[in-house]
Amino acid sequence: MSINLGTRFLGKLIKSPIYNASGVHCVTFPQLDELAMSSAGALITKSCTVNYRDGNPKPRYYDMVNEEGKQLGSINSSGLPNLSYKAYQEYAHKKRDKPLFISVSGMNLGENLQILGEFNEDPYVELVELNLSCPNIVGKPQTGYCFEDMEKMLNEVTKIYKKPLGIKLPPYFDMVHFKTAAEIFNKFQTIRFLTCCNSLGNGLVIDSESESVVIKPKNGFGGIGGIYIKPTALANVHAFSKLCPDKHIIGCGGVQNGKDVFEHILCGASLVQVGSALYREGLSIFDRLTEELEEIMTIKGYETLSDFRGKLKYL
Ligand code: OXC
């Protein structure tokens, strides 16, 4: 039996569905080069703004692990440290043998219009994920949680950005919110993919021994990732795959092993991103996840991802 992990995604053949989540190992050019050389099927940059940003004060990332050293999850409040959109645009001009997504998170509508206006004219920029869900900018709400603002934003950006566009969504928790958000996305034909989902915003992790928070920004509040978020991520992947059948869904949240990748695809994901676990384990995680996914497919007798993609059974 021969297993093929390839996926057709917006006219491209992506050899493996597994790659990094924006934010992990993707700020600097050497980090991006390492992703390009790894067995990830694609790579995505850190969300970019008009200007270079240092991000929030450190410590701003903390890994939660159990007594056996197994990762439970993470909390971060990075605050969009990035090299600026011009830098990632320059990176897009470099030769590489796998697709590059550029994540964009302008500080306001004007910044998103400036960045996407320039990207629209550059044939080297092919795949853009517009991040409407960063929870860590002091004083700024997550656009994805205000449907009116989100629709306005999408109306404006799709007027100037004519290429296929993806949106990175915050996690939603209410059936009515899934439906309302999906109705907005379905109004825009150029929105071709939805990434479900960003971290669980504004959690609080504390250390009872020191009686303290564990990250510095926002008095310890930050986005939660890892195992804690997997059921929420799967719910968002599955809900939007049903409600937006013409769009690709990219799964993100709680991926630590091949079974997690399998489950995201079973719920309808075309591609699957890895965040917290990549941060902890490093780039070799892509080899491990690939092997583990192939092993599950072999046992189940699946040769391609479409043999099981979206085929979740109900009771
Ligand atoms: N989600 C984001 O979109 N951005 C980062 N953290 C997060 O959880 C950040 O840069 O703070």
Side-chain angles (χ1 to χ4, degrees):
M1 195 170 108
S2 78
I3 292 199
N4 180 351
L5 295 184
T7 294
R8 279 243 149 248
F9 186 87
L10 304 179
K12 296 186 186 309
L13 177 65
I14 302 191
K15 288 186 197 140
S16 159
I18 310 165
Y19 66 113
N20 68 304
S22 175
V24 184
H25 208 94
C26 60
V27 174
T28 66
F29 284 15
Q31 287 176 331
L32 290 165
D33 285 344
E34 281 173 15
L35 281 170
M37 284 178 321
S38 76
S39 57
L43 61 154
I44 184 165
T45 69
K46 176 66 189 168
S47 298
C48 59
T49 49
V50 165
N51 298 310
Y52 168 92
R53 283 175 63 88
D54 257 342
N56 290 339
K58 292 178 181 169
R60 59 192 186 194
Y61 186 96
Y62 181 86
D63 239 343
M64 288 164 266
V65 284
N66 68 13
E67 278 103 56
E68 287 94 55
K70 191 171 157 26
Q71 186 186 42
L72 298 172
S74 64
I75 183 166
N76 89 85
S77 182
S78 304
L80 298 177
N82 77 93
L83 302 181
S84 82
Y85 77 101
K86 289 231 183 264
Y88 300 117
Q89 184 176 4
E90 182 194 322
Y91 192 81
H93 289 231
K94 283 180 73 162
K95 208 170 139 32
R96 103 194 65 72
D97 66 357
K98 61 179 75 160
L100 170 77
F101 292 77
I102 301 186
S103 173
V104 171
S105 188
M107 300 302 284
N108 48 45
L109 173 64
E111 282 208 3
N112 280 333
L113 292 177
Q114 177 180 343
I115 297 169
L116 291 175
E118 289 195 34
F119 282 2
N120 192 54
E121 304 307 318
D122 186 338
Y124 286 90
V125 176
E126 294 182 307
L127 295 166
V128 169
E129 183 183 274
L130 178 63
N131 181 358
L132 297 185
S133 49
C134 178
N136 300 329
I137 302 301
V138 177
K140 290 223 185 273
Q142 291 162 271
T143 309
Y145 284 141
C146 176
F147 293 127
E148 208 184 310
D149 287 358
M150 180 161 69
E151 187 165 353
K152 263 192 219 148
M153 172 78 78
L154 296 177
N155 253 321
E156 295 301 316
V157 300
T158 53
K159 272 187 209 149
I160 59 149
Y161 190 74
K162 298 297 180 191
K163 295 188 248 186
L165 181 65
I167 313 288
K168 175 95 170 253
L169 303 177
Y172 295 105
F173 308 96
D174 187 304
M175 290 307 200
V176 173
H177 293 169
F178 289 136
K179 196 166 162 279
T180 311
E183 279 166 8
I184 294 173
F185 304 137
N186 285 335
K187 289 183 190 168
F188 299 95
Q189 277 190 1
T190 53
I191 296 180
R192 300 295 299 117
F193 67 93
L194 304 171
T195 303
C196 305
C197 49
N198 210 319
S199 57
L200 273 172
N202 295 299
L204 186 62
V205 174
I206 60 172
D207 175 30
S208 52
E209 210 157 292
S210 60
E211 303 178 10
S212 168
V213 300
V214 296
I215 57 171
K216 187 171 171 64
K218 292 172 74 179
N219 287 341
F221 285 68
I224 305 294
I227 293 180
Y228 298 118
I229 192 180
K230 194 176 91 170
T232 299
L234 292 179
N236 277 260
V237 167
H238 194 56
F240 285 109
S241 78
K242 292 288 173 195
L243 292 163
C244 302
D246 300 332
K247 305 193 192 299
H248 284 285
I249 308 298
I250 299 181
C252 181
V255 172
Q256 292 202 322
N257 53 47
K259 185 162 94 52
D260 300 325
V261 178
F262 180 84
E263 290 178 7
H264 269 275
I265 297 171
L266 189 66
C267 285
S270 298
L271 303 172
V272 179
Q273 301 177 345
V274 194
S276 306
L278 167 62
Y279 190 97
R280 184 161 182 82
E281 192 169 326
L283 296 160
S284 63
I285 195 171
F286 295 115
D287 297 329
R288 179 174 67 76
L289 294 175
T290 307
E291 270 168 39
E292 289 173 359
L293 175 63
E294 285 180 346
E295 207 174 293
I296 292 170
M297 289 173 65
T298 307
I299 292 167
K300 287 176 176 279
Y302 294 140
E303 293 192 340
T304 68
L305 302 180
S306 50
D307 290 345
F308 62 95
R309 177 176 290 123
K311 295 190 179 165
L312 180 67
K313 295 174 193 155
Y314 304 137
L315 300 180

